[in-house]
């Protein structure tokens, strides 16, 4: 559906920002950039009337079959949240922490971040072709190109896996960047303020057995 | 209440792990270590019957007034979720991503992580002494010792801030570490597998104005 989709995100009652609206972005490209860079998301659902938030890896397909493109989640068929989610609205939140903003006053301390909050009805993916596509995307989300280097999933592996799809139509994006917003009186004290940039970085790979680090992994390490 | 508290976490229907129970920890010290290291958490609540998940900074006080110790959250008095949460059960989830586990088969790819999921009724903190304590802890969560170097919050700043407390009595902890769990047949292929360690790292501070980086920030940088 992506060919007919607006490049901007439309606001709904759920996605309208109530605080710091100047930090909002309605650019759909920003949504996909944040989802693409976030290694994990936090998926919320309602169980017995109460909230449950679980970390999960994911992948997005801008050209997926759902309105706005498709967010894919997966896990064991035995995982209760994957059994419960289909048909329910879930909330998937993606947060990239870019820095600690250390201001002159406690009140003005902040974080620099890029975040996205997606709301949508979860759909269980049953079609074998879409399931295979989703599982490849999830592997490639961690290391681009990796799925093509691996053997196909076996029937047993596929039978053990639940795949969920969530439309990416309804989402908000919020970004904070820059320095401390201190009052002039605090700035005038000459007290130190600054931003400590933060990012997820990779260490040296710990291989099992012999052989060189494969090209897909080496390319990914160069980005991390 | 901490002096009468068991050092182990007791399971409830909400915190009992259903998958990979061998990854669970019932050591309360692990809970506090994860909460302490996580820069942000993801707070879930139910709004109009639907889940909402928002990133938030936080701090924990093992000796706080709530059963199991206290998790503190804060934000603007204008933030809807902080108005809505008191009296409701919230779910706060903390996730440290420690590595990408790149297996020989797609199915055995995984992440190394330490995570904690806390369930508890949120309480609005109204006592001025507890509010001040909580806000100092939150600053010190990002940079230990920093709050003591800053001026006190003004009455206006305090009036603009909501502080929430969540008991740390009901929580689950889950940890995955180590290498790929591939089948013997895949290992026998000689295909490469390995773990890429991942961690949040700080870059070079970007100061505003003059003056050396203060000691509290320098000490924090050494840990990052």
């Amino acid at each position: 559906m992506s060919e007919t989709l607006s490049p901007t995100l439309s606001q709904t009652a759920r996605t309208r920002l109530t605080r710091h609206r100047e930090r909002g972005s309605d650019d759909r490209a920003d949504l996909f950039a944040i989802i693409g860079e976030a290694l994990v998301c936090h998926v919320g659902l309602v169980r017995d009337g109460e909230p449950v938030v679980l970390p999960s890896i994911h992948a997005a397909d801008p050209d997926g079959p759902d309105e706005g493109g498709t967010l894919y989640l997966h896990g064991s068929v035995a995982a209760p949240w994957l059994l419960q989610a289909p048909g329910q609205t879930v909330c998937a939140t993606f947060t990239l922490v870019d820095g600690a903003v250390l201001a002159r006053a406690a009140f003005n301390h902040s974080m620099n971040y890029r975040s996205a909050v997606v709301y949508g009805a979860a759909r269980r993916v049953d079609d074998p072709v879409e399931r295979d596509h989703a599982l490849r995307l999830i592997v490639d989300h961690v290391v681009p190109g990796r799925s093509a280097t691996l053997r196909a999933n076996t029937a047993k592996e596929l039978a053990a896996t639940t795949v969920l799809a969530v439309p990416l139509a309804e989402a908000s994006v919020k970004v904070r960047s820059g320095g401390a917003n201190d009052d002039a009186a605090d700035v005038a004290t000459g007290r130190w303020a600054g931003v400590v940039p933060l990012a997820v970085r990779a260490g040296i790979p710990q291989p099992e057995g012999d052989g060189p680090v494969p090209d897909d992994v080496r390319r990914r390490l160069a980005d991390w």
Side-chain angles (χ1 to χ4, degrees), chain A residues 128-145:
Chain A
V129 174
E130 189 183 4
R131 280 165 57 82
D132 181 68
H133 174 64
L135 294 173
R136 286 176 178 275
L137 280 181
I138 290 171
V139 167
D140 289 343
H141 176 78
V142 181
V143 178

Side-chain angles (χ1 to χ4, degrees), chain A:
Chain A
M1 298 194 178
S2 58
E3 58 275 24
T4 61
L5 202 71
S6 161
T8 59
L9 298 165
S10 55
Q11 292 185 348
T12 68
R14 293 193 289 211
T15 63
R16 188 166 294 117
L17 299 182
T18 51
R19 290 282 305 149
H20 285 298
R21 291 183 188 170
E22 77 285 359
R23 297 181 184 171
S25 165
D26 63 358
D27 188 338
R28 200 172 285 279
D30 289 343
L31 173 66
F32 282 99
I34 291 167
I35 293 176
E37 187 173 333
L39 261 182
V40 300
C41 65
H42 284 79
V43 182
L45 60 162
V46 178
R47 183 183 292 166
D48 300 330
E50 292 175 345
V52 178
V53 179
L54 298 172
S56 176
I57 66 168
H58 63 272
D61 184 352
D63 300 314
D66 299 278
E67 188 185 350
T70 301
L71 173 71
Y72 288 112
L73 305 167
H74 83 309
S76 163
V77 289
W81 74 275
L82 290 167
L83 295 172
Q84 189 196 357
Q88 279 204 25
T89 294
V90 299
C91 177
T93 297
F94 307 78
T95 306
L96 301 166
V97 175
D98 291 332
V101 181
L102 307 176
R104 296 161 187 90
F107 184 78
N108 296 317
H109 278 59
S110 189
M111 304 294 282
N112 282 338
Y113 62 88
R114 289 164 290 152
S115 69
V117 179
V118 172
Y119 297 91
R123 167 175 69 86
R124 196 181 69 190
V125 179
D126 292 321
D127 177 71
V129 174
E130 189 183 4
R131 280 165 57 82
D132 181 68
H133 174 64
L135 294 173
R136 286 176 178 275
L137 280 181
I138 290 171
V139 167
D140 289 343
H141 176 78
V142 181
V143 178
R146 185 157 181 78
S147 69
T149 73
L150 304 172
R151 67 161 170 77
N153 287 308
T154 65
K156 186 180 169 190
E157 289 169 343
L158 290 168
T161 305
T162 297
V163 178
L164 290 188
V166 180
L168 287 167
E170 190 176 348
S172 63
V173 170
K174 204 168 177 180
V175 175
R176 196 225 187 261
S177 60
N181 297 323
D182 278 312
D183 295 342
D186 287 318
V187 175
T189 62
R191 173 176 285 285
W192 187 91
V195 174
V196 177
L198 296 169
V200 175
R201 296 287 177 226
I204 296 166
Q206 301 163 342
E208 298 178 23
D210 300 328
V213 175
D215 288 348
D216 58 332
V217 178
R218 285 197 296 108
R219 279 192 301 268
R220 182 65 172 101
L221 287 170
D223 282 342
W224 250 321

